[in-house]
Amino acid sequence: MSAVTTLAVGKSMHDILLSQIDGMAKFPFLSIEQTLVDFGDVVVGLNSGSQIRFGNHSAVPANFTLTSAGDSNDEVFSIQPTHGTLQPNSYSTLQVVYSPKATSTFSCQSFTLSTAGGNKVTFTCQGTAVGPQLRLSSRVFNFGNVKAGQTPSKVLYLENLSEVPLAFGFLVESNGVFSLTRVMGVIAPRSMTHTALEFRGVVPANY
């Protein structure tokens, strides 16, 4: 951009001086190295973190602001910083944390990083909330032939394969021929517990 100015000087104002002013407007320009952050499956109760690298490719400082680009109210994604200044020709990172709240839910939210000059870049975060994983030592129990009136039992082991506590509960028919000595409880992360399955056959029959 250039401009010419005219200046009259002297007592008679007949002396004219001309000056030319040249200038170039420069705007900040941001870019990000990835547009999708996929956290995959994350167990409820745990946090998963990631980073997004972004840069200012202009010759002037970039004042940036981070805003949500959608209407999602999940509030499972948190990002820092939400505003700041990035110096010319430099890079920084956004710290993204996914904190799932409800099992079996898929969350997806977009965010916009913008500058005062109008430059905007958008990226998306997504992840799936899953529950703790339980493994049973056996799914089938065969007591064989048992005399009426006897009460044999077999041990069932329960293992929590997750990094968070796992609450369990069995639905058992009351006054049935099969019963459990422990029907509910909480297993610590990466731990194991057990219960006993008992068989009470009152009369000779197949159960």
Side-chain angles (χ1 to χ4, degrees):
M1 178 183 295
S2 63
V4 177
T5 61
T6 302
L7 179 64
V9 296
K11 294 182 178 179
S12 61
M13 301 298 287
H14 293 308
D15 296 329
I16 304 298
L17 296 178
L18 298 178
S19 64
Q20 181 173 329
I21 302 173
D22 295 317
M24 179 179 295
K26 295 183 178 180
F27 297 94
F29 181 79
L30 296 179
S31 69
I32 56 176
E33 294 186 349
Q34 62 188 104
T35 58
L36 176 64
V37 182
D38 188 357
F39 289 94
D41 295 340
V42 179
V43 177
V44 173
L46 295 180
N47 297 327
S48 181
S50 184
Q51 292 183 340
I52 299 179
R53 192 166 182 257
F54 69 103
N56 175 16
H57 303 284
S58 65
V60 294
N63 296 319
F64 65 87
T65 302
L66 181 72
T67 56
S68 175
D71 298 327
S72 175
N73 294 319
D74 289 347
E75 297 182 353
V76 295
F77 300 106
S78 60
I79 304 177
Q80 291 294 334
T82 58
H83 61 276
T85 301
L86 190 59
Q87 296 303 313
N89 299 309
S90 61
Y91 289 86
S92 186
T93 57
L94 297 173
Q95 306 294 328
V96 187
V97 177
Y98 172 46
S99 305
K101 297 180 179 180
T103 303
S104 301
T105 57
F106 173 76
S107 299
C108 183
Q109 188 172 359
S110 295
F111 297 88
T112 297
L113 196 64
S114 58
T115 65
N119 175 220
K120 295 182 179 181
V121 289
T122 301
F123 62 92
T124 301
C125 300
Q126 65 182 35
T128 302
V130 297
Q133 186 177 359
L134 174 68
R135 181 164 62 191
L136 304 178
S137 60
S138 179
R139 294 181 179 272
V140 178
F141 291 89
N142 186 357
F143 287 90
N145 296 322
V146 179
K147 290 184 179 181
Q150 292 184 342
T151 309
S153 64
K154 292 182 178 292
V155 177
L156 171 63
Y157 292 94
L158 301 87
E159 183 179 4
N160 179 7
L161 303 177
S162 306
E163 301 294 340
V164 295
L166 184 154
F168 69 90
F170 291 96
L171 297 178
V172 182
E173 181 182 356
S174 60
N175 301 320
V177 295
F178 296 101
S179 63
L180 289 169
T181 58
R182 184 184 180 192
V183 296
M184 65 178 58
V186 177
I187 310 174
R190 296 291 178 182
S191 300
M192 182 181 295
T193 189
H194 69 276
T195 184
L197 177 63
E198 296 181 342
F199 171 57
R200 293 186 177 88
V202 180
V203 297
N206 292 324
Y207 298 92

